[in-house]
Amino acid sequence: MKKTLNSLILSALFILPGVIKAQIPLAPAGAGNTMMLTYVDNGRSYMSGTKKKAVQTQVGDLALLVWDRKTGKSTGWHFDQKQWTTDVPQLPEQPISGATGNIMMVEVHESHPLILIWDTKTGKSKIYEISEQKWEETGYPLPEKPLEGATGEIAMYATKRGQGGEVFITVWDTKSGKSKSYTHAVNNSSNSADRSVHSNGNTMGTNKPEFSEEKVVVLPEKPLSSATGNILIYPYVGSKSFIAYDTKSGASACWAFNSQLGQLEPGKISLPSKLVEGASGQVLFIPNIYGNTTFFCWDTKTGKSTFYTFAGSKVNIGKSQMPETPMENPQGLVMFTRFMYAPSDSYNIAWDTKTGNTALYQYSDGSKSWVKINAQLPSPLLK
C-alpha cells in the first residue's frame, strides 16, 4: 500500500491518534438494500463536483459512503463538524460490472481512502482508492474466484497487520464458515508473475503488488460446529486471531494464533452468551482490529448496545456506553457504523434500515461519554 496506518487504537476509552473503522461485512435478514460504511479522508483538497469550487477536508473529518447493495450505486458524504455535503469524489455508478449477487463493501484499514467491493455470489472483487480527484481501481485484485464451493453468500473483511504491515483479507461462506485468507505486500517480487529481465541476465520483480493465499493462519473448515444462522468472522488484534459468531443463536468461538506451533488453536477469551441483556432482536457486533480487544454489540430491533473490553480472557463492561435508545421509534433494523480517529473525533452512526433516518453520536473526551449531534443526514441518502 502507498501509505502507512497512523498510531493504533489501544482501547475504546483511551485512543491514541489513529484510525479504526468497523462495518458489518454482510447484510442481515431484513436489513433492506441501503448500506453504509465510514472511511478515512485525511486532510485532502478536492475540486467539488457539485459546486465546482475547491474543498479542503480536515484530518479527523467523518467520511461516509452509502450504497444500494443491489446495484452498487453509491453516494459519498463528508461531515465537516457542522454539516453534511457530497463535495467529495464519488465511486463509479457500477463499481463491479456483471455482478450476479449483492454488492458489499468494506474499507481496508488504511490512512487514506481504500474500499474493497465484492459480489456476494461469485466473490469477484475490486479495490478502489482515491487518486488525485477521483476513485480509481487499484492494480492488485483478489483472485476472480477467491472461495470455491460457497453455499451461502460470500463475505469479506480487510485489515492490516500492524502499522505499515501487509493487507490481510479474509473471505468466507456465511452459511458454512469455510474461509480463505489472502495477504498483500508491496514489492513482494518473489510472488510476482509480472517480471522484467535486465540486460545482465538477472530477473527481478517489477514491484507489482498482488495478493497471495495465506498458508499459515488458516481457520478450520467449520470454525463453528453447529451454526444455525449466518456466520460472521472477524480478525482482530493484528489479524492473527479470529472470532466466529452465529448471528442467530449467538454462539461464538475464538481462534488464536500459536506462534510456537505455527497454527490457530482455540483461544482463551469467550464472548458472553448474551451480548446485550434484554435484547429482543438479532444481536450483531463489531470489534476493534488493533490494540486491546474491544467489542461493540447491539440489538438490531431496539438499538440497545453494550461495549465490552477484554483483559486477557476476562470480560469487562466498558465504562462509556451509548444511550439505550439511540433512535426514536425505529421502523426497520437499527444498524451502526463506527469511525474512531481520536477521543474528540470518534463517531457512532445509527440508522434505521427502513426509513433511512440517522442519528450521529460523537465521543466527548471531556465528559467521557457519547453525545448526540444535531446533524441528521439529508434525505435521500442516495443521490
Side-chain angles (χ1 to χ4, degrees), residues 25 109 156-161 168-172 181 217 219 232-244 255 285-290 293 295:
H109 296 291
M156 299 187 185
Y157 206 78
T159 184
K160 290 200 57 151
R161 281 180 165 165
F168 181 89
I169 296 178
T170 300
V171 183
W172 74 94
S181 293
V217 187
L219 279 164
L232 271 174
I233 296 179
Y234 278 116
Y236 67 92
V237 190
S239 81
K240 288 193 175 182
S241 296
F242 297 84
I243 285 283
W255 297 90
F285 79 89
I286 43 183
N288 282 352
I289 300 299
Y290 298 105
T293 308
F295 294 93

Side-chain angles (χ1 to χ4, degrees), residues 174 288 340:
T174 58
N288 282 352
M340 302 172 69

Side-chain angles (χ1 to χ4, degrees), residues 117-135:
I117 305 175
W118 73 94
D119 178 347
T120 61
K121 186 172 183 179
T122 66
K124 179 182 178 181
S125 67
K126 290 184 179 180
I127 298 177
Y128 286 86
E129 66 180 339
I130 289 182
S131 177
E132 301 298 333
Q133 297 290 321
K134 63 180 181 179
W135 288 96

Side-chain angles (χ1 to χ4, degrees), residues 145-148 155 157 168-173 177-182 213-215 217-219 233 242:
K145 294 183 179 181
L147 187 68
E148 297 286 354
Y157 206 78
F168 181 89
I169 296 178
T170 300
V171 183
W172 74 94
D173 178 353
K178 178 183 178 181
S179 68
K180 280 188 179 181
S181 293
Y182 295 85
E213 187 178 341
E214 172 66 62
K215 300 294 186 182
V217 187
V218 179
L219 279 164
I233 296 179
F242 297 84

Side-chain angles (χ1 to χ4, degrees), residues 191-213:
N191 292 328
S192 179
D194 185 2
R195 298 175 180 272
S196 60
V197 180
H198 290 232
S199 58
N200 60 6
N202 292 326
T203 302
M204 299 181 65
T206 59
N207 295 336
K208 176 184 177 181
E210 62 180 25
F211 282 95
S212 58
E213 187 178 341

Side-chain angles (χ1 to χ4, degrees), residues 2 74 131 135 155 169 182 225 228 231 235 244 249 309 322 350 359:
K2 296 180 180 178
S74 63
S131 177
W135 288 96
I169 296 178
Y182 295 85
S225 58
T228 56
I231 296 174
S249 69
T309 60
M322 291 280 294

Side-chain angles (χ1 to χ4, degrees), residues 90-139:
Q90 301 292 330
L91 280 167
E93 280 211 5
Q94 293 184 325
I96 294 185
S97 59
T100 56
N102 293 318
I103 295 173
M104 290 297 290
M105 309 184 188
V106 295
E107 185 186 17
V108 180
H109 296 291
E110 258 287 335
S111 57
H112 71 298
L114 200 65
I115 306 293
L116 169 65
I117 305 175
W118 73 94
D119 178 347
T120 61
K121 186 172 183 179
T122 66
K124 179 182 178 181
S125 67
K126 290 184 179 180
I127 298 177
Y128 286 86
E129 66 180 339
I130 289 182
S131 177
E132 301 298 333
Q133 297 290 321
K134 63 180 181 179
W135 288 96
E136 293 183 348
E137 291 181 40
T138 64

